[in-house]
Amino acid sequence: MFRSKLFFLLNLAAISFLSAQPTIHSSYYQNDFSMTSPGAMKYGLYGFDNPALLTSLDFPDLFVTWSNPLSYIGNVNRLGIFAAVPHFGFGAVKQRGPIFYTTDYRISLGSGNRAASVGMTYGWTNSDEPFKDYSNIIRIGALFRPSVYASLGLIGTAALHGTDKEGVIDAAVRPFGNELLALFADYSMEEYRVSSFPKWSAGAAVEFAPGIRATARYFDTKAITAGLQISLGAIGIESQAQYDESGKYTYNTYGLRIGAYDRNIFQSYFVKKKEYLDLNLYGPIKYQRYVLFDNSKTLLSVLDAVDAAKNDPAVSGIAINTSGMNANQEMLWELREKLKEFKAAGKHVIIFIDRGGINEYHFASVADKIVMDPSGMLMLQGFMMGRMYLKGSLEKLGIGFDEWRYFKYKSADETFSRDSMSDADREQRQKLVDDDYRLAKDDICASRNFSSAQFDSLINDKTLFLPNDARDAGLVDTIGRWDVVEKMVKMLDGGGQHMVPSFMLAQNRLPSDNRWGEPPRIAVIYALGACAMDEGITARRLVKDVNAAVDDPRVKGIVLRVDSPGGDAMASDYIAEALKKAKGKKPVIVSQGYVAASGGYWLSMYADTIVAAPNTITGSIGVIGGWLYNKSAKESLGISTDFVKAGEHADLGFGMTMPFFGLTLPDRNLTDNERGKMEHSIKTLYKDFVQKVADGRKKKFDDIETIAQGRVWSGYDGEANGLVDVLGGLSDAIAIAKAKAGIARKEEVKIVEYPAMGLFNLDVFAPRLFGIDVKKDATVEYLKFRLEHNGEPLPMLPMDFMNGTARE
């Protein structure tokens, strides 16, 4: 008897000793909560299983799940709570037995992108089981999705106290490259002292309707699970049945998800068009914005918002507030064209205006309904181009200017050399304003049902319209403030309409789990401002961005957005040559904005396709030069200079440093011999420019020479004479780049923009800090630019094109 009791006590002690050794839970411990392998469907358990999955999460989400085995009917035996935001997750699983409980906690972090990500989890366990010690754990996860068809997950778990460890491989395949069907399998390699968990499983997940998913999973223990998940949008429910190795039903798990919006059958098939996009265009519309302290909108973001609304089945229209809007006429044309596409999809546009001119009204005329502020006013004066001449001012200041002009239409230096337009400049400018007038007239007459004569009368005979005048003339439909627009929306299409911001559109809320891997990229590179090495387009820096896009295998196409009047030929050629190297490797498309002429056209010439708006200013293939020098300014200021030299021309360019400019005004003009050399360099550069354009456009030298001579053209004429391939905007250029790269029209792409913008613009704070206005004077800046490049052959436009005041 004593020996048997002793034997029992020794065995009990041994079991207690072994049980007291730290241990960890297998990854299969949460299988009743996991409907598939971690990487096969949605986001697994939000980092609890594989922390690398947190990178795929788009919005905050909360998931609560529980189970009640048959022996615990009416009670919750296991409870899981999983909460996550992108890149961070927290989870807890509590298990209650007949006597004891155990709770596992996990905190997870993930980083990476949709093609490759990694993550780390720290976990600990609370338990009141006697003789049981659970170790804290570290879990490392990785997820690789090299294409839309395959996903591979790697998970490694190790006890921080003890020797237990586990490695898990999970793989999934999507035969159709989307969320409709996923086949998955996983395998666990364990080093536990005692383990009764499965070693592997395999199964399938089917999304046979948006947000309705069915799963089946088989384990090597012969156990089976079958689940159903139903998404209702921001809420989801699910249930999973568990069957043992004999095929006998054992229990169910249930789940409730709240938070992130998900695909759902109601949104896709049964939704009523009850939403209007609320689009407030207050402020400047720019190309890029700073990360902080910058409330401006970008052209691409507004275009994308209209596209997202067009493709959203819940949206029936857009209501646009143009009060305080600031955009040039080319951008407004692009937005107007995008709204025409929106209307072609059977949807409606309402636009509110308060004050505006011909450009703003041209934009607004696309609307089905125009609402005008009761205190507003329209000024429909037509179009004009004018410029300021500084010849007389320079003479009074004692500054001389020698113009080196050898090409009929190259009029950039008329600012300094004349007091009125030359015949050639008048001719080309008149054609531009005629084309502007034609574009506005055609669009407004088509939208508002005016005859040509009616339109001309509105411009020439009436011009100024107060609200009642505008309504009587048929220019607007309703008089009222923005609240009237909101009331109109509620009453449209049988009532029940409501306004939504752009972030509530389906495209901006739906998860990205329908596509594995990173989408192909289209690089949009902005070349904005004067062509200069360290200012304007900042060619010295921008060429690095171009080369980065060319060399990046993820970038399948390049779109160069040009909004530049030219400047330094070397700066233009830096970028042009970098783009030329990309030809044959990936498509290069140029999108021309408000102005892309002279050096701006030099930037464009090697593109596979050049896209311009009808009112883009393009062409101006020509070169000009000039020389600013002292006539009496130095003497008037009481300044004198002196020098010694070795070399006949060494003093060329020497002179006084101009006060407030910090730049040198040469003491003398050029000699006839020196001027002859400059003439030769300008004509040589011109021939080189024309030949480069001919090579880029695949034309003969003479074909380009006949449309060169420095002449500017509208986009209309550019398409007719072969300088432009397609009339369109930035979104059209991106679509062409996709098509030429072999990317399907509806396939998702990631737009990467260059150059990268900084956190914030320091100029925003300068007036607040010092109490002064730091705005730069355009005339002074232009004069500084010319002094910096004094005597250089320049492919550039006049000052009014440089500062954006050419059109009024």
Side-chain angles (χ1 to χ4, degrees):
M1 173 67 83
F2 173 77
R3 290 179 63 186
S4 62
K5 287 182 178 181
L6 179 61
F7 180 76
F8 172 77
L9 290 173
L10 289 173
N11 272 285
L12 182 60
I15 292 171
S16 299
F17 173 76
L18 291 172
S19 299
Q21 298 301 304
T23 188
I24 62 175
H25 280 141
S26 165
S27 293
Y28 287 104
Y29 175 68
Q30 67 266 5
N31 274 339
D32 50 347
F33 296 154
S34 301
M35 301 179 78
T36 67
S37 300
M41 188 176 77
K42 298 294 287 181
Y43 313 108
L45 292 178
Y46 301 94
F48 197 93
D49 41 11
N50 186 349
L53 282 162
L54 291 168
T55 303
S56 304
L57 187 67
D58 299 286
F59 302 99
D61 220 1
L62 173 67
F63 178 51
V64 180
T65 181
W66 63 95
S67 65
N68 56 334
L70 294 178
S71 57
Y72 285 85
I73 293 176
N75 295 303
V76 174
N77 180 48
R78 274 167 58 80
L79 173 67
I81 299 176
F82 309 96
V85 296
H87 307 291
F88 177 80
F90 170 79
V93 175
K94 182 175 182 178
Q95 176 165 312
R96 186 172 63 129
I99 302 175
F100 310 115
Y101 80 91
T102 301
T103 306
D104 287 325
Y105 299 94
R106 304 282 187 269
I107 294 177
S108 305
L109 296 171
S111 180
N113 55 40
R114 287 196 274 174
S117 57
V118 295
M120 184 175 71
T121 296
Y122 174 75
W124 68 97
T125 301
N126 289 342
S127 176
D128 63 357
E129 288 186 69
F131 312 121
K132 196 76 169 181
D133 182 16
Y134 289 96
S135 171
N136 295 356
I137 68 160
I138 285 291
R139 174 171 291 164
I140 304 296
L143 186 68
F144 303 100
R145 288 173 169 169
S147 74
V148 296
Y149 301 103
S151 174
L152 176 67
L154 303 174
I155 307 167
T157 307
L160 293 179
H161 309 288
T163 60
D164 284 3
K165 60 179 68 75
E166 179 190 35
V168 176
I169 298 176
D170 81 87
V173 174
R174 284 178 166 178
F176 307 117
N178 55 33
E179 72 279 10
L180 297 181
L181 174 64
L183 307 175
F184 61 87
D186 48 74
Y187 181 76
S188 171
M189 297 162 284
E190 306 168 348
E191 287 189 15
Y192 298 139
R193 284 172 293 103
V194 179
S195 176
S196 60
F197 292 106
K199 295 290 186 184
W200 60 266
S201 75
V206 180
E207 186 166 338
F208 52 86
I212 300 180
R213 307 172 182 101
T215 64
R217 191 177 186 185
Y218 176 84
F219 298 90
D220 65 328
T221 59
K222 298 184 179 179
I224 296 173
T225 63
L228 180 66
Q229 188 179 87
I230 300 175
S231 168
L232 305 174
I235 298 175
I237 56 176
E238 66 179 55
S239 178
Q240 184 172 214
Q242 315 282 332
Y243 299 88
D244 64 17
E245 63 276 6
S246 64
K248 180 181 177 181
Y249 169 76
T250 54
Y251 64 95
N252 253 59
T253 58
Y254 305 92
L256 173 66
R257 184 192 59 80
I258 301 174
Y261 194 77
D262 191 10
R263 295 181 297 277
N264 61 89
I265 194 170
F266 307 101
Q267 173 76 20
S268 301
Y269 298 121
F270 303 114
V271 68
K272 294 182 179 179
K273 293 183 177 180
K274 291 293 184 182
E275 295 177 352
Y276 262 64
L277 172 63
D278 183 353
L279 189 57
N280 187 347
L281 295 183
Y282 172 80
I285 298 176
K286 305 189 301 187
Y287 287 116
Q288 291 181 284
R289 60 190 298 271
Y290 291 94
V291 178
L292 301 174
F293 311 115
D294 189 350
N295 294 323
S296 57
K297 294 170 180 61
T298 67
L299 175 62
L300 203 53
S301 69
V302 178
L303 294 171
D304 286 345
V306 177
D307 262 338
K310 181 186 73 173
N311 298 324
D312 192 327
V315 171
S316 60
I318 294 179
I320 300 175
N321 189 340
T322 67
S323 181
M325 176 181 69
N326 180 13
N328 68 52
Q329 66 192 78
E330 190 280 332
M331 284 187 177
L332 290 176
W333 179 83
E334 288 197 47
L335 296 177
R336 192 182 194 280
E337 289 297 295
K338 186 60 67 175
L339 289 171
K340 285 171 65 176
E341 294 177 18
F342 181 84
K343 290 177 63 178
K347 303 190 177 188
H348 306 292
V349 176
I350 302 174
I351 293 182
F352 171 78
I353 58 175
D354 48 16
R355 299 186 179 95
I358 186 69
N359 290 322
E360 290 76 19
Y361 184 75
H362 179 201
F363 168 72
S365 67
V366 73
D368 298 287
K369 299 289 182 183
I370 301 177
V371 179
M372 185 174 179
D373 190 281
S375 299
M377 183 174 67
L378 287 176
M379 287 285 289
L380 305 186
Q381 298 167 279
F383 297 89
M384 63 86 66
M385 294 184 74
R387 61 189 298 185
M388 182 171 69
Y389 298 89
L390 302 178
K391 178 182 178 181
S393 297
L394 294 179
E395 289 175 351
K396 289 181 181 296
L397 291 171
I399 298 174
F401 181 73
D402 187 14
E403 181 186 30
W404 307 333
R405 178 176 178 176
Y406 307 105
F407 309 107
K408 180 178 179 181
Y409 296 99
K410 200 64 182 172
S411 61
D413 282 341
E414 288 187 10
T415 300
F416 301 135
S417 65
R418 298 179 60 91
D419 53 19
S420 63
M421 287 183 192
S422 65
D423 291 341
D425 194 32
R426 187 177 300 278
E427 175 191 346
Q428 62 183 347
R429 287 173 181 260
Q430 185 63 56
K431 185 62 169 67
L432 288 176
V433 296
D434 288 345
D435 285 347
D436 286 344
Y437 190 89
R438 163 193 166 192
L439 177 63
K441 181 177 182 177
D442 290 348
D443 285 346
I444 293 172
C445 287
S447 295
R448 302 299 296 180
N449 294 317
F450 293 141
S451 68
S452 176
Q454 283 177 308
F455 179 84
D456 291 338
S457 177
L458 291 171
I459 301 297
N460 299 322
D461 301 331
K462 298 181 180 179
T463 308
L464 189 152
F465 299 86
L466 296 176
N468 287 328
D469 301 327
R471 182 176 57 187
D472 293 343
L475 292 168
V476 303
D477 302 287
T478 304
I479 298 174
R481 296 233 153 92
W482 181 248
D483 62 307
V484 171
V485 175
E486 294 173 334
K487 292 175 183 177
M488 287 177 63
V489 167
K490 292 178 181 178
M491 296 169 55
L492 290 170
D493 301 324
Q497 301 281 348
H498 61 280
M499 308 265 270
V500 297
S502 61
F503 69 81
M504 289 297 292
L505 297 174
Q507 176 179 298
N508 299 327
R509 289 199 293 161
L510 287 174
S512 57
D513 68 294
N514 62 313
R515 188 191 197 285
W516 284 349
E518 281 284 292
R521 297 184 174 191
I522 299 294
V524 176
I525 304 172
Y526 296 102
L528 311 176
C531 292
M533 294 302 293
D534 301 301
E535 296 177 321
I537 70 170
T538 59
R540 199 184 310 276
R541 182 188 67 177
L542 192 65
V543 72
K544 297 177 182 178
D545 292 327
V546 173
N547 289 332
V550 172
D551 295 337
D552 189 343
R554 298 171 298 177
V555 172
K556 306 304 180 185
I558 296 173
V559 174
L560 181 73
R561 175 69 173 201
V562 178
D563 216 325
S564 171
D568 182 358
M570 183 170 69
S572 298
D573 204 52
Y574 258 53
I575 307 305
E577 285 298 317
L579 290 172
K580 186 179 181 181
K581 293 175 184 176
K583 296 195 72 170
K585 298 178 181 178
K586 53 189 70 175
V588 176
I589 313 300
V590 163
S591 169
Q592 297 186 335
Y594 176 83
V595 58
S598 200
Y601 194 84
W602 194 312
L603 295 169
S604 311
M605 61 191 179
Y606 290 133
D608 297 304
T609 304
I610 297 177
V611 182
N615 53 2
T616 293
I617 298 172
T618 189
S620 191
I621 301 165
V623 183
I624 198 165
W627 186 254
L628 288 158
Y629 64 96
N630 175 65
K631 291 183 78 173
S632 62
K634 181 177 70 173
E635 292 75 16
S636 298
L637 293 171
I639 298 172
S640 61
T641 59
D642 202 354
F643 60 88
V644 296
K645 68 176 183 177
E648 184 176 346
H649 308 287
D651 64 321
L652 184 62
F654 172 77
M656 73 168 179
T657 300
M658 294 185 69
F660 309 111
F661 285 84
L663 297 171
T664 299
L665 181 66
D667 277 348
R668 68 174 179 86
N669 198 359
L670 277 66
T671 65
D672 290 343
N673 177 267
E674 290 167 337
R675 202 175 192 278
K677 290 180 170 59
M678 290 299 179
E679 179 180 350
H680 174 75
S681 67
I682 289 172
K683 291 181 176 179
T684 299
L685 183 59
Y686 172 75
K687 290 180 180 179
D688 187 42
F689 190 1
V690 173
Q691 187 60 58
K692 285 175 180 285
V693 173
D695 293 342
R697 303 302 295 160
K698 296 181 173 59
K699 293 179 179 290
K700 296 178 181 178
F701 180 94
D702 291 343
D703 293 336
I704 300 300
E705 164 66 13
T706 58
I707 55 175
Q709 291 287 318
R711 172 144 189 180
V712 292
W713 304 95
S714 68
Y716 274 135
D717 288 335
E719 184 190 34
N721 63 31
L723 292 178
V724 170
D725 298 299
V726 177
L727 292 181
L730 182 56
S731 58
D732 298 299
I734 292 171
I736 292 170
K738 286 179 62 177
K740 286 183 174 291
I743 302 170
R745 185 173 61 88
K746 291 188 177 182
E747 184 177 348
E748 177 189 1
V749 294
K750 182 176 181 179
I751 302 298
V752 288
E753 297 180 276
Y754 300 92
M757 293 295 285
L759 282 178
F760 53 83
N761 182 6
L762 288 173
D763 291 345
V764 173
F765 302 102
R768 299 178 184 177
L769 291 173
F770 305 108
I772 58 174
D773 188 353
V774 296
K775 289 184 178 179
K776 296 179 179 179
D777 182 83
T779 303
V780 172
E781 291 302 308
Y782 180 70
L783 191 56
K784 287 174 65 177
F785 179 85
R786 289 311 310 268
L787 281 169
E788 288 172 353
H789 298 277
N790 206 15
E792 296 179 18
L794 298 172
M796 64 180 292
L797 290 178
M799 178 178 70
D800 50 317
F801 291 97
M802 299 283 281
N803 60 34
T805 60
R807 291 157 157 167
E808 300 290 345

